[in-house]
Amino acid sequence: MNLKRGIKEALGRVAGLITRTLLTEKMRFVHNSWHYSWPLTPDVCPCDVHFCEYLEEHQIRERSIFHFGSGGHHLLGLRNRDGGLDNEILAITASPAEHAQYVSQVIRSPALGRHYRVLFSDIYELGAASLPTFDMATLFHLC
């Protein structure tokens, strides 16, 4: 009888330890997301406009570009499409609203999604092994 009770208690302690460990690991991952969609405000943040102008002025075409912070406007993807630059752009956003706006725009205009893709993720949890090599990367929205 004591052996059964001892085994039950030991199993209970192990189960409790496993549960606490799993909860601690789960709580350690905090997804940095924003419930806001950044509009295009060049007078406040002209970075996307300047980068688009740079690509157009230097006729940068058919390159792979990583773009941090797509903005709800998705200017980089739209100008890439409209200018026929054909750069393969992978943008990342931490805003569900910006990602939803991207999906809506691609449904309305599938040509936008041909060379411009937006990933909803936490950039701070994005592993290098999951990304290809890029010709260019913009990180000016980290500030």
Side-chain angles (χ1 to χ4, degrees), residues 38 40 44-55 65-71 73 75-76 89 91-92 123-124 136-143:
W38 274 263
L40 183 62
V44 175
C45 180
C47 299
D48 288 347
V49 173
H50 289 171
F51 188 62
C52 288
E53 290 170 352
Y54 176 85
L55 294 175
I65 300 171
F66 180 79
H67 180 56
F68 173 68
S70 63
H73 48 79
L75 181 68
L76 183 58
I89 300 169
I92 185 169
I123 193 169
Y124 300 105
M136 304 176 87
T138 69
L139 299 174
F140 34 69
H141 296 302
L142 279 175
C143 56

Side-chain angles (χ1 to χ4, degrees), residues 5-126:
R5 187 172 50 202
I7 291 173
K8 273 185 157 181
E9 287 176 8
L11 288 174
R13 284 193 299 271
V14 169
L17 177 63
I18 291 171
T19 301
R20 282 191 301 279
T21 301
L22 290 174
L23 285 175
T24 300
E25 284 300 312
K26 184 162 182 67
M27 291 173 74
R28 190 174 300 166
F29 176 77
V30 177
H31 191 275
N32 293 303
S33 63
W34 297 89
H35 298 287
Y36 179 78
S37 176
W38 274 263
L40 183 62
T41 52
D43 53 319
V44 175
C45 180
C47 299
D48 288 347
V49 173
H50 289 171
F51 188 62
C52 288
E53 290 170 352
Y54 176 85
L55 294 175
E56 292 162 358
E57 287 171 12
H58 295 277
Q59 286 298 297
I60 296 174
R61 299 175 171 278
E62 299 176 359
R63 302 296 175 128
S64 61
I65 300 171
F66 180 79
H67 180 56
F68 173 68
S70 63
H73 48 79
H74 299 284
L75 181 68
L76 183 58
L78 293 168
R79 297 261 298 256
N80 185 62
R81 177 199 63 195
D82 296 345
L85 298 176
D86 294 337
N87 291 302
E88 292 296 328
I89 300 169
L90 175 61
I92 185 169
T93 181
S95 167
E98 288 179 5
H99 191 264
Q101 289 166 324
Y102 165 74
V103 171
S104 294
Q105 288 186 27
V106 169
I107 289 169
R108 281 193 314 272
S109 176
L112 176 63
R114 190 167 298 125
H115 297 288
Y116 177 68
R117 290 159 191 88
V118 177
L119 172 67
F120 170 70
S121 186
D122 179 353
I123 193 169
Y124 300 105
E125 296 293 332
L126 191 61

